[in-house]
Structure formats: structure tokens, C-alpha cells
Amino acid sequence: MVFGLIKKLFGRDESASPPPSSFASTQAPLPMAAGPLKDGLGAAPGEAGQIAGAPAETMLQREIVLDRELKVIGYDFRLRDSVLKRKERMAHSVWKLYDEVLLRNFLAEESTKAFGQKRIFLEVSVWALQSPLLGQLPKGRFVLMLHYDAEYFQNAVEHVELLQALKEHGFQIGFDSFPLKADLMALMPLADYHKISVTDKDVTELSKEVSAVANAAPESELIMGDIHFFEELQVCRQLQVHLLQGSYLRRKELSEVDTVDASYLRLLEVLNLVRSEADPSVIANAMKYDPMLSFKLLRYVNSPGAGLLTKIDTLDRAMIVLGNKQLYRWLTLLLFSHERQEGDHSILLETALIRGRIMEVLGAKQFKRDELDQLFTTGMFSMLDSLLRQPMPVILEKLSLPDEINQALLNRGGRFGPMLSLALTCENGDLPDDLEIFNQAGVTKAEANKAQIDALLWVEEVV
């Protein structure tokens, strides 16, 4: 896996044609309920201004969706929390427009690229079910995660036909925290996914709700949502649910003890030596105290993908063949690929890669190639506090990094700071959706949304 990542990181051909979409553009028209929306409602990302009170440019928020083994199986996209908090005061017409802004972010990307095996959960209102844009999305790629609306479901049976038509068209349906009411029981089995929130519930309450939903929809997969702490994640893994979702990674509690696992310390030491361009023999001497690290390097450099004609059997020679730049990135990836007791190394690696790629894509217009490498490193290293469970200042004392990277990681300062702020805003709905950040970074919200989707597609290819 690491060789494939390195090859992508160093051998990117941005002009190469993306793999064709496996979905034909001649899909049958999607049946609509009475009174469908008109084509053209809502602006495509990039158009400025307001449409009926809904901003045409809205920053998307992303959360990971995991299976019980903590493997990333998909991503949940929704409007930012600052928008969702106003939903009770929004007219239905405004909700429809917000839904269309969300949907339009995926039309162009999905028309030319496949999203791999990852599932794409789109949190939309029930009013999106009548949007003509649904007919333009590829079949089999999306889960429409619906928020409950009491007015819409006053007569639940009326909506069975529409939900079935959407499923036949290739969509999966999700119900987010739908109440277990008698008049909704006919709808419950239609949902492929049921999301249950952990908020303000103890283990007993959660267990009862999981059992009740499972009885109402025995063929559906259950998602435990709003998991904000690692301890909550561990509890939810003990329940009979299929998937887990939340922001626990960015809220991971840090240790107050200034200790880091010895294997990580060795990697950090070697990273510093490589960055300072130490002699290969000095780097090799530091690596030899970690036999597994030495083994992984020799295995990597002698892998068939490396294309070498003769076998490399010494660390000194391996480092000369790789060069400092490629060795530094290999070690960075190894840092995040390291097996952890928590079992969340794949989440850390994928999230770090996405952050790095977002920053690299957004910086392409204004930074030089070497600076883009530093932007990528900044995004990757922004996960070090979650990886090592130490405060960032403590970690940076152990690393020798350029000042621009340090400023960005410590206080979002320097030239890289605004790019890192944007990468974090894509994950964290609690951060301010401040136009000043976009102005400082020199990008629009539409460009940030596109970079986020591009990063997910890229990571799908390389991981």
C-alpha cells in the first residue's frame, strides 16, 4: 500500500484522463411526486449572491463513516452546523435550494470519475426527494440520508411509492433519527440505513433504541451517529450496530503526560535527520535500532513496483536510491500507517492524506512546487496530535520543521495557515464559516468544496 501511495505522491499526472464513470448518462427519468421543482433552482457552486434567502455558495461539512472494525467505508456530507441550527426557521423553499447546492457539488465530479467503493451519504431534507437533480446523479453511488419532518410525514403511506421509486433508480435511503411512531412503521423497512444519535443517552437507553429500530427494520443497517469522543466510540462498538459516524478524531482527548511511544520517537528522530540532509550512514545508524523499520524500508525499496534490477541489501544504499525527498514522504506515511492499540490507524492515515491533498490542490494557483510539498506535509502533520495524543507544541519540539509549517500547525499563522484552516473547516462545523479565511487563502467556497471532493477521489485511488 505504501509503495502505491508514494508512486501517486511523486508520479502525479494531473493531465491524465480520469477513469470513465461506470454510470451511463442515459438513465431513465426518475419518477417524481406531484409538484416537482423546476430545473435550475439553486445556483451551481461558484455563482455569487443569494437565492431566495439561501446562499449560492455554501461550505460543505464532511464526517467519516466507519464499520465496526474502524475501517472507513464512506463519507457523510451535509451543510455546515451553523446552517442546520437554523433549520427550524427555514421555509421549505429555502431548504430545497440548500439541498440543490449540496447535490450540485457532486454532479461534475461524478460525471467523469468513479468514487470507488466508498459510500456517499448526503444529508438532505425530505423536500430534496422532488429535485430533478436526483435524476442527474449516477446510479448506485449515493445514500439519501433524510431528516425527519413531521409535516411531510403526516400521512406516511403517501410517500411509500416515491421512496420505492428512488430505490429502484439506484439510490439508497437513510432515515436520520426517525421516531418510532405507529404511523411510520410502514416506512421503516424501506430505509437501507437508520441513524441513531448517541447525544444525551446512556448505554441502557441506546441499547433499547437499537433493539427497537432493529425490530422495526430488520433488514436495515444501523448507524450510530454523533460520536464525538473515543470512549463513546468504544461503547457503541459493543452495541448491535453496523456503522459508526462522528467527529471523535478531531476531539480526541490528549494525554497530559509528556510521553510518546518509543517506535514513534524513533520515526520522528529519523524524520529530523532526513530533513536536515544528514549523511545516509548517520540515518542508517539511527534506523538500525528499530529492526522493523529497517525491514520495512528494505522491503519497500526492493518491491517489484520500484523497478530495480539489482537487490538492495543495505540501509545506506536504500536511502541513496530513494533520495531524501521520497524517503521523507515514505517515513511520513509510515508514521500514520503504524499499527495502533486503538485500531484507528487507517482513519488517521486517510484523514491526514485528505487534509494534505486539499491544501495541495487549493495552493496550486499561488505556491511553487516545493511549497506545495510543504503544504501537503502541513496537512498530514496536522493529525499528529490525534496520532500521538500529545499537544501540538510538545510534538513540534521533537520535530525540526520549516517555520511556515510550524506557524500553521501552532496557530494557523503564516502563509500556510489559511489553507490549513480551510482544510479543517471541511470537517468541523463548529469552526466559523468566515469569508476572511477564504479571502486570506485566495479561494472561493466553491473551490474549497471541489478540492474536498477531489481529495476524496484521489485518496480512494491511492489507499
Side-chain angles (χ1 to χ4, degrees), residues 229-264:
F229 299 97
F230 186 74
E231 292 71 19
E232 291 177 339
L233 180 71
Q234 295 296 68
V235 169
C236 291
R237 291 177 74 187
Q238 307 305 313
L239 300 173
Q240 296 303 306
V241 297
H242 303 86
L243 303 174
L244 308 157
Q245 178 190 333
S247 60
Y248 91 91
L249 246 175
R250 62 178 165 82
R251 303 187 185 197
K252 205 168 201 180
E253 294 181 357
L254 304 179
S255 171
E256 296 181 357
V257 181
D258 185 15
T259 58
V260 177
D261 184 274
S263 58
Y264 286 121

Side-chain angles (χ1 to χ4, degrees), residues 324-381:
N324 274 16
K325 184 177 178 181
Q326 190 163 339
L327 178 60
Y328 192 86
R329 282 213 171 179
W330 179 80
L331 289 167
T332 299
L333 292 170
L334 195 62
L335 188 66
F336 286 94
S337 305
H338 202 62
E339 292 286 343
R340 292 161 51 82
Q341 184 177 356
E342 294 98 324
D344 58 358
H345 54 279
S346 66
I347 312 170
L348 290 162
L349 173 62
E350 192 158 324
T351 304
L353 285 169
I354 290 170
R355 288 185 184 179
R357 179 64 173 178
I358 288 174
M359 293 183 66
E360 188 176 41
V361 170
L362 291 177
K365 295 190 301 184
Q366 49 190 296
F367 290 97
K368 299 177 182 177
R369 177 68 258 180
D370 287 346
E371 291 176 319
L372 292 181
D373 288 337
Q374 291 188 27
L375 278 171
F376 186 89
T377 300
T378 303
M380 289 281 292
F381 280 7

Side-chain angles (χ1 to χ4, degrees), residues 127-199:
W127 312 106
L129 299 179
Q130 299 178 9
S131 172
L133 290 182
L134 293 181
Q136 300 177 37
L137 291 173
K139 292 183 179 180
R141 299 305 304 125
F142 295 95
V143 180
L144 301 178
M145 185 60 66
L146 305 177
H147 293 273
Y148 178 70
D149 185 281
E151 178 183 345
Y152 185 86
F153 287 108
Q154 278 183 345
N155 190 345
V157 178
E158 288 184 352
H159 306 293
V160 170
E161 183 179 353
L162 176 58
L163 293 175
Q164 288 177 333
L166 286 164
K167 289 166 68 72
E168 290 170 5
H169 194 73
F171 289 102
Q172 291 185 299
I173 303 296
F175 288 171
D176 188 344
S177 302
F178 272 45
L180 292 169
K181 297 167 56 178
D183 55 347
L184 291 178
M185 287 300 107
L187 290 182
M188 301 302 274
L190 288 176
D192 300 281
Y193 303 91
H194 282 274
K195 185 187 291 187
I196 300 170
S197 174
V198 304
T199 304

Side-chain angles (χ1 to χ4, degrees), residues 35-264:
L37 302 181
K38 295 179 181 179
D39 267 319
L41 277 179
E47 295 182 17
Q50 301 273 332
I51 308 174
E57 276 195 346
T58 301
M59 190 73 178
L60 301 184
Q61 183 178 336
R62 180 189 79 252
E63 281 188 350
I64 52 177
V65 182
L66 313 171
D67 64 15
R68 292 171 60 86
E69 303 304 317
L70 301 187
K71 298 295 187 293
V72 180
I73 62 90
Y75 288 92
D76 177 280
F77 288 90
R78 63 177 181 267
L79 301 179
R80 291 179 53 74
D81 288 343
S82 58
V83 174
L84 294 176
K85 288 174 182 176
R86 303 197 303 269
K87 65 181 180 181
E88 298 300 331
R89 305 193 301 272
M90 284 187 194
H92 299 160
S93 58
V94 177
W95 261 119
K96 292 173 184 177
L97 295 172
Y98 269 121
D99 290 334
E100 293 217 353
V101 172
L102 173 63
L103 294 174
R104 285 181 184 275
N105 277 282
F106 293 89
L107 295 181
E109 291 294 333
E110 285 288 346
S111 66
T112 55
K113 295 181 180 180
F115 222 104
Q117 298 304 309
K118 293 287 195 304
R119 301 176 216 178
I120 310 169
F121 296 79
L122 300 180
E123 291 198 24
V124 294
S125 74
V126 292
W127 312 106
L129 299 179
Q130 299 178 9
S131 172
L133 290 182
L134 293 181
Q136 300 177 37
L137 291 173
K139 292 183 179 180
R141 299 305 304 125
F142 295 95
V143 180
L144 301 178
M145 185 60 66
L146 305 177
H147 293 273
Y148 178 70
D149 185 281
E151 178 183 345
Y152 185 86
F153 287 108
Q154 278 183 345
N155 190 345
V157 178
E158 288 184 352
H159 306 293
V160 170
E161 183 179 353
L162 176 58
L163 293 175
Q164 288 177 333
L166 286 164
K167 289 166 68 72
E168 290 170 5
H169 194 73
F171 289 102
Q172 291 185 299
I173 303 296
F175 288 171
D176 188 344
S177 302
F178 272 45
L180 292 169
K181 297 167 56 178
D183 55 347
L184 291 178
M185 287 300 107
L187 290 182
M188 301 302 274
L190 288 176
D192 300 281
Y193 303 91
H194 282 274
K195 185 187 291 187
I196 300 170
S197 174
V198 304
T199 304
D200 298 326
K201 297 171 186 171
D202 59 29
V203 176
T204 301
E205 291 173 313
L206 285 174
S207 182
K208 288 181 178 178
E209 187 169 353
V210 167
S211 297
V213 175
N215 289 332
E219 301 300 320
S220 304
E221 292 192 52
L222 303 187
I223 305 174
M224 193 62 73
D226 300 320
I227 301 172
H228 297 316
F229 299 97
F230 186 74
E231 292 71 19
E232 291 177 339
L233 180 71
Q234 295 296 68
V235 169
C236 291
R237 291 177 74 187
Q238 307 305 313
L239 300 173
Q240 296 303 306
V241 297
H242 303 86
L243 303 174
L244 308 157
Q245 178 190 333
S247 60
Y248 91 91
L249 246 175
R250 62 178 165 82
R251 303 187 185 197
K252 205 168 201 180
E253 294 181 357
L254 304 179
S255 171
E256 296 181 357
V257 181
D258 185 15
T259 58
V260 177
D261 184 274
S263 58
Y264 286 121

